[in-house]
Structures are given as structure tokens and as C-alpha cells.
């Protein structure tokens, strides 16, 4: 809604339009509607753009629902006033809820596009239940977590937030490379808005969870500084480096084929191994006759998280690649240097130059 010559408000509604809509759809009296909206305003579910404390049935009074605000955490739609359960349990249940929702509001087209049915999302009861349950993250006790539990918890939460973000702010059409495209039926977001969760009394963005926590507070690629200072309470895994988490913490706009729910510390490493194997076998390409080996863009983008040399990168990937049954990593590396099928293999070209350049 445009106000005056310069000011424009997004995702807002006029007081009169809101009252009229309730009258048309539910048939309540205007006085009852205003009283109910006043209660929603007082409890924070409805927000006055002008900072008014009383609801006004006016076409100059603009309101926004809490779920549409980008200046507060995306999981604050339902304030949590109950006792909180163990963090890993909470995050695992949330991820299971989100997986169910994501499957039901998306479908694949004949052109191998993933369609997000945006008009269905807000009507979906499972999505409402997810938003309500996500409020429990506000009060979880992060200080009680052991190192492996921190990884499990934040991997679950990252996947929840990432899918939530895709549902809330999908782009009109985003290329997925080998796994197709994602297309929004309704929404067309040209800019990425602020998106974060309140977790244990602290605010975390997707970037802060991935780089500040799960990557041990390493710099985001292309950034000058780390996400957290040494004294930041959110710096929970300083110096930790586990490159396998990169295959579960994808970067926008890549769409995950599956999600991995972590519940037990004993099976954590086995699940990471499995997720890594699935991802690499879907994205690594080795064509023997052409003498071409290509790695997913993650290997290039996060090169510093993996072994330093190109040869060691091949050895690392080859542990998970099912195409390794015919050749060993050592044979592949040797082939780059002495030639196979009259094709000169070059490690640097295969790993770096065969990949699309990163868009800045």
C-alpha cells in the first residue's frame, strides 16, 4: 500500500478492509470484530504500522500480522510460555513436521520442476502446527548440549529454517542444475528479506547457523569477517570443521532432495556418512571415455573445508562415490598425469574449470 508520494508498505492491510473482510466471510457484528482485533493487537499477533495501541476501523490505519513481519524472528508467531523439552528432541520433531508439510505443498511438473503451491501453504493445517511448535525453540537450553548434540540440534534446525524460508520466500524461477528447477506459482520475491529464528533467547539467521556454528565460525565465502566474535554466546563450536555438514546445509536456491533427521548421538556419524554418499553420488560425474571428472560446486565454493590438494580432494570424494568400483582414487589421479584413452586429464581443469562460475 502506497502512502503519500514516497512511502510504500508491503504485506499490510487497512483497518477498514480487515473489518469488512471478517464481516463478509464470518458475518460477525462490527463491534465484536473490533473487540477481537483489539485483543490480537494487545497480544502482539496484530501489529500497527503507526505504533497505535488501539485498533481503529479506519482506511488510514495500517496493520500487519505477526507472521508477515520481517523485523522479528520467524518463529515468534506463537509466543512460548510452557516448559521446554530437550533441544534435540524439539528440533527433530519440528523437522519431521516440516518435511510432511513440504512434501504436501510441493509437486513435480512434467518438465522436472518443483512447484510450490503457495496458495495452499497458509491454509495447510500442518504448516500452522509447525509455526506453533517452532515457538518452543525460543526457550530451549543451549548450554546443556554436548558437542555432538549441538551439531545434531543445529543441523535439524537449519533444515527446518531452510525449508521454511523456501516456502515463505521462493523466487519466481530458480535453476537447480541437474535436479531441475523450483517455480513459485504465486510469489515473486526479487529480494531476499531478513529471516531468522529466536533460539534459546538468541537470534540466528541461516548464515549464522551454517557458518558461525556448524562450520566452526569460519568465514562465509567472500566475507571479510567471521559471523561471531570470540565472546559471542552464539559461537558454540569454535574451530570445529566437519565438511560433511555442507551436504545437508545447502545454499539458496538449491533444493534438497531429502532431509536428514538427527535424534541419536550413536547414529550421528553414520547418518552424516549416508547423507554425504547420497549427495555425492547424485552430483559427481565421471565419464571414463571422455576423461572427464566433475565435482559439485560445493567442493569449489568451500575448498578450504576439504583437503588442500586436488589429489587429496579426489581421494576424499572417492570414498563416497559408488562409481569407484572400477577405478581406485590413485588410478584416477595417475590418469590425469599420464593420459587415458589418448585424453590428457588435468586435475585442476577437471575440478575447477569444468564447473560453472559462481555468480557474485
Amino acid at each position: 500500500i502506497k502512502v503519500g508520494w514516497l512511502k510504500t508498505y508491503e504485506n499490510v492491510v487497512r483497518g477498514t478492509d480487515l473489518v469488512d473482510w471478517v464481516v463478509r466471510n464470518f458475518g460477525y457484528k462490527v463491534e465484536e470484530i473490533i473487540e477481537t482485533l483489539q485483543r490480537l493487537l494487545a497480544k502482539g499477533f496484530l501489529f500497527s504500522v503507526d505504533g497505535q495501541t488501539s485498533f481503529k476501523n479506519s482506511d488510514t490505519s495500517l496493520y500487519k500480522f505477526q507472521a508477515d513481519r520481517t523485523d522479528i524472528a520467524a518463529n515468534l508467531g506463537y509466543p512460548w510460555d510452557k516448559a521446554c523439552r530437550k533441544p534435540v528432541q524439539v528440533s527433530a520433531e519440528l523437522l519431521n513436521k516440516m518435511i510432511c508439510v513440504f512434501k504436501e505443498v510441493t509437486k513435480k511438473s512434467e518438465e522436472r520442476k518443483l512447484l510450490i503451491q503457495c496458495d495452499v501453504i497458509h491454509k495447510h493445517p500442518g504448516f500452522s502446527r509447525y509455526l506453533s511448535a517452532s515457538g518452543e525453540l525460543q526457550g530451549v537450553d543451549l548450554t546443556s548440549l554436548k558437542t555432538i548434540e549441538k551439531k545434531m540440534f543445529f543441523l535439524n534446525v537449519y533444515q527446518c529454517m531452510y525449508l521454511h524460508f523456501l516456502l515463505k520466500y521462493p523466487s519466481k524461477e530458480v535453476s537447480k542444475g541437474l535436479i531441475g528447477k523450483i517455480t513459485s506459482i504465486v510469489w515473486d520475491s526479487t529480494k531476499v528479506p531478513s529471516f531468522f529464528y529466536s533460539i534459546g533467547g538468541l537470534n540466528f539467521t541461516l548464515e549464522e547457523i551454517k557458518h558461525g556454528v556448524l562450520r566452526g565460525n569460519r568465514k562465509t565465502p567472500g566475507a571479510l569477517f567471521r559471523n561471531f566474535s570470540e565472546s559471542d554466546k552464539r559461537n558454540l563450536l569454535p574451530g570445529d570443521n566437519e565438511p560433511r555438514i555442507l551436504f545437508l546445509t545447502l545454499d539458496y536456491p538449491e533444493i534438497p532432495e531429502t532431509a536428514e533427521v538427527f535424534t541419536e548421538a550413536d547414529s550421528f556419524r553414520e547418518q552424516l556418512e549416508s547423507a554425504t554418499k547420497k549427495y555425492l553420488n547424485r552430483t559427481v560425474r565421471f565419464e571414463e571415455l571422455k576423461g572427464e571428472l566433475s565435482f559439485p560446486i560445493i567442493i569449489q565454493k568451500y575448498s578450504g573445508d576439504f583437503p588442500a590438494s586436488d589429489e587429496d580432494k579426489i581421494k576424499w570424494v572417492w570414498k563416497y562415490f559408488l562409481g569407484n568400483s572400477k577405478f581406485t582414487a590413485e588410478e584416477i589421479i595417475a590418469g590425469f598425469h599420464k593420459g587415458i584413452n589418448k585424453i590428457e586429464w588435468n586435475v585442476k581443469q577437471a575440478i575447477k574449470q569444468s564447473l560453472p562460475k559462481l555468480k557474485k
Side-chain angles (χ1 to χ4, degrees), residues 300-315:
Q300 179 192 36
K301 187 174 181 180
Y302 297 96
S303 179
D305 292 26
F306 295 93
S309 69
D310 293 332
E311 288 87 349
D312 286 340
K313 283 183 173 68
I314 292 177
K315 291 178 182 178

Side-chain angles (χ1 to χ4, degrees), residues 335-349:
F336 280 109
H337 299 298
K338 64 184 181 182
I340 292 180
N341 297 331
K342 299 181 180 180
I343 295 178
E344 290 295 328
W345 288 26
N346 183 281
V347 177
K348 192 165 292 187
Q349 287 184 349

